[in-house]
Amino acid sequence: IEAPFYGKNIQVLLKLGRAQGIAIAAALSRNISVTEYSPRKIKQSITGNGNASKEQVWKMLQSILKFKDDPQFLDATDAVAVALCHHYESGTEQLRSKGKGAGWAEFIASNPHLVK
C-alpha cells in the first residue's frame, strides 16, 4: 500500500484513506500481510530518485517490465510501481546492488545469470 501523503485537497485525501482502509481490511481478512511504502520510497526504488515525477516512474517501469503501450492515466501506474517496489524490498530477487556507490562490475559479479 502506498502511504498517504499530505495533499492540498482534503476531500481527495479522505477518499484515498477510505480506499486504502478497504484494501487493507480485504487483505487482512484473507490473512495477506500488508506493507506500506512512502511515495518517496517507491520512487527511489523504481528510479533511484525519490523526487522523480510520475512520468519518470512510468518510463522506468516501461523499461524494466518491457511495456509497449503508454497508460491512459499515469495514476494507474502507481499500483504497478508499489508492487515492483515491494518485490525489490522483499528480497526475492537480488537485481540491485546493496553497496553504496557500487557500479556495473559489482552488479555483473552478483548477477552472472543476467549477462549474455
Side-chain angles (χ1 to χ4, degrees):
I1 300 284
E2 183 176 6
F5 55 92
Y6 174 75
K8 293 177 185 174
N9 185 335
I10 192 68
Q11 291 300 316
V12 171
L13 192 57
L14 289 170
K15 289 175 184 175
L16 176 63
R18 287 186 209 130
Q20 288 174 326
I22 291 168
I24 291 168
L28 294 176
S29 75
R30 300 284 188 192
N31 293 322
I32 298 170
S33 65
V34 175
T35 307
E36 191 173 63
Y37 298 102
S38 71
R40 185 176 183 85
K41 176 67 178 172
I42 296 165
K43 292 173 183 180
Q44 176 72 35
S45 178
I46 303 302
T47 69
N49 176 6
N51 295 317
S53 68
K54 283 188 178 286
E55 291 82 4
Q56 290 170 315
V57 172
W58 168 246
K59 286 299 182 187
M60 187 60 78
L61 287 171
Q62 198 173 33
S63 175
I64 294 167
L65 301 174
K66 309 295 186 225
F67 288 137
K68 300 209 184 309
D69 297 328
D70 287 332
Q72 187 174 9
F73 303 103
L74 287 176
D75 290 334
T77 65
D78 289 350
V80 177
V82 173
L84 189 57
C85 173
H86 183 67
H87 174 71
Y88 287 154
E89 294 301 314
S90 67
T92 57
E93 188 174 350
Q94 301 299 322
L95 289 178
R96 295 175 301 150
S97 172
K98 300 279 187 211
K100 191 171 187 175
W104 283 108
E106 182 183 332
F107 177 84
I108 291 169
S110 298
N111 300 285
H113 62 286
L114 297 177
V115 179
K116 293 185 181 186

